[in-house]
Amino acid sequence: MAKDNCERKPSKAAGGWGALKSVARQLKNSGKPVSGAKTLLSLNQADGFDCPGCAWGDPEHGSSFEFCENGVKAVTWEATKNRVTPEFFAAHSVQELRTWSDHDLEHQGRLTNPMRYNPETDHYEAVSWEDAFAGIGAALNAIEDPNQAEFYTSGRASNEAAFLYQTFVRLFGTNNFPDCSNMCHEASGVALTQAIGIGKGTILLEDFDETDLVYCVGQNPGTNHPRMLASLREVVERGAKVVAINPLKEKGLTRFADPQNKIEMIRGTSAPTSTHYISPRLGGDMAIFRGMSKVVLEAEDKAQAEGKPAVLDHAFIAEHTHGFDAWCDLVRATSWDQILDQSGLTREDIETAAQMYIDADRVIVAWAMGITQHVHSVDTIREIASFMFLKGNVGRKGTGLCPVRGHSNVQGDRTVGINEKAPAAFIDAMEAELGVSLPRERGHNVIQAIGAMLDGTAKAFIALGGNFARAVPDSHLVAEAMGKLDLTVNIATKLNHGHLMPGKQSYVLPCLGRTEIDKNLEGTRQMVTVEDSMSMVHGSSGINLPASKSLLSEVRIIAGIAKATVGSERVDWDTLGQDHDKIREMIARVLPIFGDFNKQVREPRGFWLRNPASEREFRTPTAKANFGDADLPALTEWQSVNGKDAHFVLQTFRSHDQYNTTVYGMDDRYRGIYGEREVVFVNKRDLKAMDLKGGDIVDIIGTYEDGHRRECKGFRVVEYDTPRGCIGGYYPEMNALVPHQTVGDLSFTPTSKSVLVRLEKSNP
Ligand SMILES: Nc1nc2c(c(=O)[nH]1)N[C@H]1C(S)=C(S)[C@@H](COP(=O)(O)OP(=O)(O)OC[C@H]3O[C@@H](n4cnc5c(=O)[nH]c(N)nc54)[C@H](O)[C@@H]3O)O[C@H]1N2
Ligand SMILES: Nc1nc2c(c(=O)[nH]1)N[C@H]1C(S)=C(S)[C@@H](COP(=O)(O)OP(=O)(O)OC[C@H]3O[C@@H](n4cnc5c(=O)[nH]c(N)nc54)[C@H](O)[C@@H]3O)O[C@H]1N2
Ligand SMILES: [Mo]
């Protein structure tokens, strides 16, 4: 634990009074004229709005108060009374604002007016919506090649906004759709598509009620998916098992006090969220699953030799899978030495974790960024899937693969076409809908968009939400390159650093948030829809008055830009902009899986987008679930630094007080950090070896030899329970250290959880 951090200690359990106090503080600070409590009671209710916090599924809408501490932060942060007005921009130049922190920028509140950058004064100035649309349309049309424009999407955008956006971008003539998913669960999408024929998870929330065993891998749900803790805790209370696999002992994965449980709150008690905890080295998870599979295969051999019942589900393997024998050969050929060195575990650790699998009838594996943000993530997820196929743990009640998504609609955005490599069938359907041929070549993902900005071929950047400049690797280089573009446009609720690197022409366009009432010109309320991690699609309608009279919905802003850029010959943007039902009709024509979209989404709990893999229909080229075909990495990042003085693998993670690049506050209660973020978590023995102690100040230096100097200077050392050679610190500050050229194999995901660095004592 963070020993040297003076006055305050880490919390004993996740949730509890700490969470309630934090909620109260948040409500007070938001000071919303519309009652904060009323806003919260509408969260995740049938007639309310979807929590913009995370993509965890909801139980029956309306059955309880469905929010958590960090959902409250997300909501109140949006529903603040603070405003960023034209007067604010008149008072502060862009150069000045660039010196502000991420927290201070967003804390100024909601953007109120469309703004255009004036390079002569270095200030943003108010502009009318008409002039903004016309200016953007003219600038986009002045670009020689549509592939020189990058159209970014952050995963909070609704299905309706995302679908309209991709329609516009494809008509404009490019598939350049860098999106936050490229930095997030891309490896899950790639690996699951190869393994089971669809890049999504196969479980429903109810599966947690039936499962015998959950592996929760590379994920910190106490902070990032707090509503998942209720599921994990119920699994443990039922007597089933939860194995947490995480280099850090994350509080939420040990104990949870449910702030909505009165008795628990009064007694100050909490309950466990896991039954077993194993702490591997960074990037060691493929080795763990390979090792567990080895144990399972040995158990099968033994059972056969002794004439006992089979351990494997032979019927499933024979009927539904491909590549079993070849993969078994790989598993058997993998040495324990390599497995133990990469994972950093003992053979007993792995055998214990595998024995639980052997004993369990129904198993779920859930994972997030600790698995997806490495070089070997795709192979690791394939290995997880192969392990699960051994006992038919896919497509059965209480079983399944569960990539836990990040942004609340990141999965939906992909479904409706935010995809630089969309399937041909989708483009075919869009062409039939629009009566025009559309570009087919692969567009840019985030890494390729960065490349185009750095080499000067990109001319324009449009962002539907997010904070590209801070979220991406090599953030300093990228921010600088953004300033050289001809056009930058940001559709946003709040001011962030991404808006402060204006191109030659630049606009910041303020939009309505999830919490706000969206009415069209005739005064009819519009709802949007989102898809959660479990492929449930539901409606979301805000209840608060808009932060300013000048705001438009994302849908109307996109329609405005589209009309001014590609004209209304193919699409009646005015009508679609005014009527979300019409957009949903169009979505359902292009993607028949949405069925009678407008009717279904008005059911209280929304509806489930059928996932064939969860019914054992595997739409892969072999028409089967495919076992993996990869060896363990020849060398993990940890192995590459092991034995080199002061060299480490660094993981960059989230504090309890942030939402990605949105920094709510400076505390990380569960890890015992208060009032600061420029810290680096290091193992005690590593510190000793370097003659350092907790509280010392160090510089963290990137060790990639590609000509770029990467450093974070003056960070405070925190002595922490993390494996030797593996250190950690906060994103986005540490994006200055994450290289954009080193990416996940096949996923192109920045390797934010295995960054190679060196520590040096700071020279004050
Ligand atoms: N409050 C809040 N909620 C959020 C977000 C937020 O910022 N704040 N962000 C949203 C988004 S976009 C996303 S993608 C998710 C992110 O959700 P998480 O994936 O939980 O996010 P991180 O903070 O990056 O945490 C990564 C976890 O993986 C562990 N880990 C790192 N490397 C390894 C490894 O090699 N092996 C194993 N086994 N574990 C490892 C870390 O110790 C850490 O516990 O949360 C979403 N929800
Ligand atoms: N080093 C490192 N880098 C990472 C990660 C990591 O773990 N480590 N994680 C990666 C992951 S998983 C992700 S998903 C990305 C996140 O990358 P992004 O999605 O680009 O970043 P966010 O911080 O979520 O975006 C915050 C901004 O979104 C805008 N916003 C908020 N709500 C709305 C809305 O309703 N509409 C619109 N239009 N705008 C809105 C606000 O202006 C706010 O400032 O970062 C990635 N980068
Ligand atoms: Mo994410």
Side-chain angles (χ1 to χ4, degrees):
M1 293 299 100
K3 279 220 183 116
D4 43 282
N5 207 297
C6 34
E7 329 95 44
R8 288 194 274 175
K9 293 207 178 89
S11 339
K12 289 209 180 70
W17 286 109
L20 278 192
K21 269 190 227 149
S22 159
V23 165
R25 203 165 42 233
Q26 209 67 33
L27 280 174
K28 192 165 148 251
N29 291 347
S30 92
K32 183 71 185 140
V34 178
S35 129
K38 185 179 153 213
T39 309
L40 292 178
L41 292 176
S42 298
L43 244 177
N44 293 335
Q45 302 297 305
D47 53 354
F49 57 92
D50 186 74
C51 182
C54 73
W56 189 248
D58 310 327
E60 287 296 325
H61 269 303
S63 60
S64 65
F65 306 131
E66 253 314 301
F67 58 84
C68 67
E69 175 193 351
N70 280 352
V72 169
K73 288 182 195 162
V75 166
T76 52
W77 193 251
E78 178 178 299
T80 168
K81 67 170 191 248
N82 299 343
R83 297 290 178 265
V84 170
T85 59
E87 292 71 39
F88 171 89
F89 284 110
H92 305 284
S93 71
V94 166
Q95 195 168 351
E96 182 209 326
L97 291 172
R98 256 184 237 150
T99 64
W100 292 25
S101 70
D102 296 300
H103 169 85
D104 289 348
L105 286 177
E106 284 211 29
H107 189 62
Q108 301 312 307
R110 293 287 300 280
L111 294 157
T112 59
N113 291 70
M115 306 297 297
R116 178 169 54 197
Y117 180 64
N118 182 344
E120 271 160 34
T121 60
D122 190 40
H123 285 263
Y124 272 105
E125 295 167 355
V127 61
S128 71
W129 281 107
E130 292 68 35
D131 287 350
F133 294 151
I136 294 166
L140 280 174
N141 284 325
I143 296 172
E144 238 167 79
D145 177 354
N147 292 319
Q148 292 180 306
E150 306 292 345
F151 293 88
Y152 180 65
T153 312
S154 169
R156 203 176 274 194
S158 64
N159 288 331
E160 290 71 16
F163 181 80
L164 214 58
Y165 187 58
Q166 66 84 29
T167 304
F168 153 57
V169 173
R170 293 198 154 96
L171 279 172
F172 175 67
T174 182
N175 285 318
N176 285 351
F177 288 108
D179 90 303
C180 73
S181 187
N182 297 143
M183 299 182 268
C184 187
H185 263 292
E186 190 73 51
S188 306
V190 173
L192 293 177
T193 303
Q194 292 175 352
I196 59 170
I198 182 169
K200 299 184 184 184
T202 63
I203 75 157
L204 288 172
L205 197 54
E206 292 86 285
D207 287 311
F208 280 84
D209 300 337
E210 316 245 355
T211 194
D212 301 321
L213 171 62
V214 180
Y215 294 97
C216 185
V217 199
Q219 194 197 346
N220 181 19
T223 287
N224 298 314
H225 304 92
R227 288 181 299 123
M228 184 182 181
L229 294 188
S231 299
L232 293 177
R233 184 181 136 138
E234 276 162 29
V235 172
V236 175
E237 272 166 5
R238 271 196 298 111
K241 298 197 167 90
V242 175
V243 181
I245 303 182
N246 198 310
L248 309 184
K249 293 273 169 1
E250 302 286 23
K251 200 64 56 192
L253 287 170
T254 52
R255 296 192 76 82
F256 174 52
D258 185 354
Q260 296 179 21
N261 178 332
K262 288 192 200 83
I263 296 176
E264 196 154 88
M265 294 303 288
I266 290 165
R267 293 199 182 138
T269 53
S270 60
T273 46
S274 66
T275 52
H276 297 77
Y277 212 113
I278 44 188
S279 295
R281 294 184 173 129
L282 291 171
D285 301 271
M286 184 172 177
I288 300 179
F289 280 87
R290 175 71 43 107
M292 290 201 290
S293 294
K294 240 174 133 68
V295 177
V296 176
L297 292 181
E298 280 160 17
E300 171 68 18
D301 293 345
K302 191 158 172 263
Q304 279 191 17
E306 294 173 0
K308 296 209 173 121
V311 172
L312 305 187
D313 184 341
H314 290 287
F316 175 81
I317 293 170
E319 192 185 344
H320 292 294
T321 71
H322 170 86
F324 173 63
D325 292 331
W327 177 78
C328 285
D329 291 344
L330 278 176
V331 173
R332 292 183 205 276
T334 310
S335 77
W336 274 110
D337 282 352
Q338 183 72 321
I339 289 171
L340 301 185
D341 195 46
Q342 294 194 352
S343 66
L345 301 176
T346 64
R347 190 154 164 179
E348 294 73 61
D349 288 333
I350 294 180
E351 282 170 351
T352 309
Q355 190 58 45
M356 287 183 254
Y357 183 80
I358 293 168
D359 295 339
D361 180 37
R362 296 155 191 238
V363 183
I364 290 172
V365 182
W367 70 88
M369 298 304 103
I371 291 297
T372 62
Q373 296 177 333
H374 293 282
V375 178
H376 307 287
S377 297
V378 170
D379 285 345
T380 302
I381 297 162
R382 293 288 307 269
E383 195 69 20
I384 291 174
S386 302
F387 172 71
M388 292 291 273
F389 298 156
L390 286 176
K391 290 189 67 187
N393 275 311
V394 175
R396 213 160 36 95
K397 263 196 180 158
T399 73
L401 296 160
C402 179
V404 183
R405 301 278 162 183
H407 267 300
S408 51
N409 197 39
V410 63
Q411 183 158 319
D413 290 348
R414 256 304 149 82
T415 306
V416 301
I418 302 297
N419 190 344
E420 76 280 3
K421 46 180 190 317
F426 178 82
I427 306 287
D428 294 343
M430 284 298 296
E431 287 184 342
E433 172 70 21
L434 300 171
V436 66
S437 59
L438 297 172
R440 297 232 164 209
E441 72 278 19
R442 218 182 153 116
H444 289 169
N445 56 30
V446 161
I447 294 298
Q448 291 155 333
I450 291 174
M453 286 184 193
L454 293 178
D455 72 19
T457 48
K459 299 292 173 209
F461 173 81
I462 319 282
L464 178 54
N467 186 359
F468 190 83
R470 292 289 279 160
V472 296
D474 280 326
S475 44
H476 292 63
L477 294 177
V478 173
E480 215 180 289
M482 283 177 87
K484 296 186 185 135
L485 297 170
D486 290 343
L487 173 71
T488 54
V489 178
N490 283 284
I491 302 170
T493 50
K494 285 196 158 188
L495 184 62
N496 65 44
H497 277 286
H499 311 155
L500 301 175
M501 289 296 166
K504 287 180 198 127
Q505 280 193 63
S506 181
Y507 296 85
V508 174
L509 306 179
C511 63
L512 293 171
R514 282 269 173 88
T515 55
E516 288 163 335
I517 297 168
D518 177 5
K519 280 189 184 161
N520 68 8
L521 288 173
E522 285 162 6
T524 313
R525 272 176 86 152
Q526 301 295 307
M527 110 183 136
V528 294
T529 63
V530 295
E531 176 186 340
D532 67 27
S533 272
M534 281 110 198
S535 308
M536 295 295 301
V537 178
H538 30 77
S540 173
S541 350
I543 60 152
N544 291 342
L545 288 175
S548 138
K549 286 208 170 89
S550 306
L551 300 187
L552 291 184
S553 68
E554 289 177 334
V555 161
R556 281 178 64 187
I557 296 172
I558 294 160
I561 296 176
K563 186 178 170 189
T565 311
V566 298
S568 298
E569 191 192 337
R570 298 283 159 192
V571 176
D572 182 355
W573 301 106
D574 285 337
T575 304
L576 292 180
Q578 293 300 318
D579 187 348
H580 292 187
D581 278 356
K582 293 236 156 54
I583 303 177
R584 283 186 283 271
E585 284 166 16
M586 193 169 160
I587 294 176
R589 282 196 298 273
V590 172
L591 294 162
I593 187 177
F594 281 89
D596 192 347
F597 194 177
N598 276 312
K599 178 163 171 272
Q600 297 198 85
V601 80
R602 288 180 166 88
E603 301 291 330
R605 206 190 164 189
F607 66 104
W608 180 61
L609 277 188
R610 182 174 176 260
N611 176 333
S614 71
E615 293 167 358
R616 297 195 164 174
E617 184 191 326
F618 301 110
R619 296 189 181 164
T620 61
T622 60
K624 307 263 182 197
N626 291 314
F627 274 92
D629 53 12
D631 278 321
L632 287 189
L635 209 60
T636 61
E637 277 60 35
W638 179 85
Q639 286 174 316
S640 78
V641 298
N642 184 30
K644 288 194 201 163
D645 272 353
H647 283 64
F648 294 91
V649 195
L650 166 86
Q651 65 150 321
T652 58
F653 47 58
R654 294 151 173 80
S655 82
H656 193 62
D657 242 0
Q658 75 181 82
Y659 193 91
N660 298 337
T661 68
T662 295
V663 177
Y664 303 128
M666 307 304 278
D667 295 349
D668 192 3
R669 202 170 73 238
Y670 296 160
R671 297 192 184 110
I673 301 295
Y674 296 93
E676 60 181 342
R677 289 180 55 87
E678 295 199 342
V679 291
V680 54
F681 299 78
V682 188
N683 177 290
K684 184 177 173 176
R685 290 200 289 155
D686 284 333
L687 286 180
K688 204 163 167 226
M690 284 182 298
D691 203 18
L692 286 170
K693 56 181 186 326
D696 283 351
I697 305 298
V698 294
D699 298 337
I700 314 162
I701 321 265
T703 57
Y704 297 88
E705 284 165 8
D706 57 3
H708 294 299
R709 178 145 178 100
R710 300 184 175 90
E711 57 190 13
C712 281
K713 286 190 140 178
F715 277 49
R716 203 176 64 82
V717 167
V718 174
E719 183 189 309
Y720 207 75
D721 184 4
T722 171
R724 284 201 74 175
C726 304
I727 62 176
Y730 298 125
Y731 138 72
E733 288 80 353
M734 285 190 171
N735 260 334
L737 295 166
V738 183
H740 72 281
Q741 294 104 326
T742 304
V743 293
D745 292 338
L746 297 178
S747 67
F748 288 92
T749 301
T751 55
S752 316
K753 298 290 188 275
S754 51
V755 185
L756 301 179
V757 297
R758 187 161 51 78
L759 289 190
E760 266 176 23
K761 200 158 194 168
S762 243
N763 215 341

